[in-house]
């Protein structure tokens, strides 16, 4: 699979200076963590789940979570598990290209049980999403995953969800983060990425952000995100990929504030109609939050609606200007440091302070590609929607 793989080679060639790379479930953890992109969640109870998964592949989805936790009722868990076993067998029989598939479970015991029940089709599974992760609750999940991996002989990753009240509350935050750090470092080879449960954070205080506001406008949530990145998202080799929070809105709501989506890039791309469509579907706030995610050290995003996937991926493509800057910073002859004017002559690139940014940018370029000099996110969105 590859990002924008649902587009024809000719269309991709017109968009990309450097094409997104191909990858599989067997690729390195480094590649897969960077390539998660928009991870689409779906309840595990859907009767035609196999068809739904393949349909989303055709829309450019490369990672999905099939949920046995909050998205389904307590009384539906047993049937949802049985449905997953049937649907995985169906997917395996079709031998089609699949996205990275993860199961979100409720209890540690579900992991070895489901791996055993999946049988040969477990090879289609990339791992498990672990809810309400703390040191105390997380260790049993990770031990169960390790045991299931050993029993099946199939590599399985974990994606812990950081969403517990202990992480949100100021008096327990430092201790909780320290415990989470100890746990994920101990099981580093199994932890693909850390996910943020911002909806649960808001719930602890009876809050819900409107479509006119991002997670970063809710200060109590923004402070948790900052602390998580501070402890767990460092660029010194100890950090993990931390993914962006879910965007909840996908239908027209009455707007209280003026649209946040600037007109200029759309006018330049002659895509005013696209701008209007995005505003009508409350996606202008999503686009702003994606940009703020990256500015705050997050990569990828949890998604609950297919319409969110393409904007996340379009804004993940590395611009030609970013790529040029990153390459200049990482040139071997620049190993001693220094400062230089960018090739675009609009900024200064300082080699040592910007090195970690450049390395991350080239990794993103590898999996999402580099846009041609004249191509921006409007062209990427337009091509993706028409593809």
């Amino acid at each position: 699979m590859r990002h924008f793989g649902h587009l024809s080679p000719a269309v991709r060639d017109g968009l990309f200076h450097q094409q997104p790379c191909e990858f599989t479930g067997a690729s390195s953890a480094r590649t897969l963590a960077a390539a998660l992109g928009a991870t689409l969640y779906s309840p595990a109870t859907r009767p035609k789940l196999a068809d739904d998964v393949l349909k989303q592949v055709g829309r450019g989805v490369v990672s999905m979570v099939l949920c046995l936790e909050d998205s389904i009722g307590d009384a539906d868990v047993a049937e949802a598990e049985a449905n997953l076993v049937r649907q995985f067998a169906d997917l395996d029989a079709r031998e089609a290209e699949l996205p990275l598939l993860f199961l979100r479970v409720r209890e540690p015991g579900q992991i070895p049980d489901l791996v055993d029940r999946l049988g040969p089709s477990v090879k289609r599974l990339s791992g498990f999403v672990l809810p309400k992760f703390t040191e105390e609750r997380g260790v049993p999940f990770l031990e169960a995953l390790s045991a299931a991996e050993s029993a099946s002989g199939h590599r399985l990753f974990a994606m812990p969800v950081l969403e517990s009240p202990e992480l949100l509350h100021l008096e327990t935050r430092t201790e909780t983060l320290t415990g989470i750090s100890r746990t994920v470092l101990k099981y580093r080879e199994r932890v693909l990425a850390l996910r943020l449960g911002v909806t649960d954070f808001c719930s602890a205080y009876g809050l819900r952000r409107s479509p006119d506001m991002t997670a970063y406008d809710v200060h109590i949530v923004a402070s948790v995100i900052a602390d998580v990145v501070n402890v767990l998202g460092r660029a010194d080799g100890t950090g993990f990929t931390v993914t962006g929070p879910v965007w909840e809105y996908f239908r027209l709501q009455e707007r209280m504030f003026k649209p946040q989506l600037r007109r200029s890039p759309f006018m330049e791309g002659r895509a005013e109609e696209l701008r209007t469509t995005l505003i009508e579907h409350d996606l202008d706030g999503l686009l702003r939050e994606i940009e703020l995610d990256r500015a705050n050290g997050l990569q990828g995003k949890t998604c609950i609606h297919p319409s969110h996937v393409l904007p996340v991926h379009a804004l993940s493509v590395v611009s030609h200007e970013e790529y040029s800057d990153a390459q200049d910073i990482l040139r071997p002859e620049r190993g001693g440091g220094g400062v230089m004017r960018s090739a675009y002559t609009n900024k200064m690139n300082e080699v040592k302070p910007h090195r970690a940014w450049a390395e991350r940018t080239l990794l993103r370029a590898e999996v999402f590609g580099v846009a041609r000099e004249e191509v921006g996110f409007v062209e990427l969105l337009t091509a993706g929607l028409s593809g």
Side-chain angles (χ1 to χ4, degrees), residues 261-262 265-266 274 278 287 291 314-315 375-382:
L261 202 57
R262 294 184 299 114
F266 290 89
L274 175 59
L278 293 172
L287 297 181
E291 293 282 18
L315 284 174
V375 171
F377 79 91
V378 172
E379 288 79 14
L380 292 162
L381 281 169
T382 304

Side-chain angles (χ1 to χ4, degrees), residues 64-201:
M64 290 186 70
V65 173
L66 311 179
C67 185
L68 292 163
E69 206 220 2
D70 287 347
S71 69
I72 66 172
D74 297 344
D76 298 326
V77 174
E79 175 51 35
E81 290 178 343
N83 186 52
L84 278 175
V85 173
R86 291 192 298 268
Q87 301 294 337
F88 264 79
D90 185 0
L91 288 169
D92 194 33
R94 299 194 202 191
E95 298 183 348
E97 181 182 87
L98 299 180
L100 304 172
L101 293 175
F102 300 85
L103 303 183
R104 184 178 182 180
V105 291
R106 296 179 172 216
E107 304 291 341
Q110 289 177 291
I111 294 176
D113 179 60
L114 284 166
V115 168
D116 181 61
R117 291 165 65 183
L118 286 173
S121 65
V122 73
K123 65 179 180 288
R124 298 293 197 157
L125 179 66
S126 292
F128 290 87
V129 174
L130 314 180
K132 299 172 179 61
F133 193 91
T134 62
E135 183 175 32
E136 180 182 2
R137 288 193 288 269
V139 169
F141 276 110
L142 289 165
E143 288 178 343
L145 185 142
S146 297
E149 180 178 278
S150 297
S152 66
H154 175 66
R155 183 179 69 169
L156 295 168
F157 287 114
M159 291 202 292
V161 185
L162 310 185
E163 57 186 345
S164 65
E166 299 98 313
L167 184 58
L168 181 64
H169 297 158
L170 188 60
E171 67 273 19
T172 53
R173 186 179 303 173
T174 299
E175 181 183 354
T176 301
L177 266 175
T178 301
I180 291 171
S181 180
R182 275 195 302 266
T183 305
V184 295
L185 285 170
K186 180 180 178 181
Y187 291 89
R188 172 178 283 282
E189 72 280 5
R190 309 212 179 280
V191 177
L192 186 63
L194 304 174
R195 311 201 73 87
L196 288 166
V198 165
T199 300
D200 283 56
F201 290 157

